[in-house]
């Protein structure tokens, strides 16, 4: 997921990591089949803001690295940080 192009949507295929970690992400709505998009990136590159089911979540890069996602969908317009 970290190499995913900024602004492109994808679907979660699998969540890697310990059971407790997977459970935490699933409680936040990150379950397999969910469509996500990297909406923003902090100025120093961490954390990243994901758009999930109309909500936004900020996750650290090491947490996002545990997400295995499907191939990209149609690119969407990028949001500019101010």
């Amino acid at each position: 997921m970290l190499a995913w192009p900024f602004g492109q949507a994808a679907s979660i295929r699998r969540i890697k990591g310990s059971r407790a970690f997977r459970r935490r992400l699933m409680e936040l709505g990150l379950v397999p089949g969910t469509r996500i998009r990297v909406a923003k990136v902090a100025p120093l590159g961490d954390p990243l803001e994901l758009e999930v089911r109309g909500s936004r979540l900020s996750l650290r890069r090491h947490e996002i690295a545990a997400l295995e996602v499907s191939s990209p969908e149609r690119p969407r317009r990028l949001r500019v940080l101010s």
Side-chain angles (χ1 to χ4, degrees):
M1 181 73 202
L2 290 177
W4 205 256
F6 183 77
Q8 281 195 341
S11 294
I12 298 173
R13 287 181 25 184
R14 182 176 165 227
I15 301 172
K16 298 181 257 178
S18 69
R19 183 177 179 172
F21 176 71
R22 290 192 318 260
R23 178 181 227 163
R24 179 179 169 265
L25 292 185
M26 287 185 202
E27 287 173 348
L28 293 172
L30 298 170
V31 296
T34 303
R35 188 170 176 236
I36 61 173
R37 180 178 74 90
V38 177
K40 291 183 184 176
V41 179
L44 297 177
D46 194 25
L48 286 82
E49 187 174 288
L50 298 180
E51 187 176 289
V52 181
R53 301 174 190 233
S55 299
R56 298 211 171 184
L57 302 172
S58 291
L59 296 176
R60 295 283 178 189
R61 283 188 172 269
H62 72 274
E63 295 169 324
I64 293 174
L67 300 178
E68 187 177 303
V69 296
S70 66
S71 59
E73 297 176 7
R74 195 170 132 202
R76 300 177 80 182
R77 187 170 180 201
L78 301 180
R79 188 168 192 176
V80 178
L81 296 172
S82 55

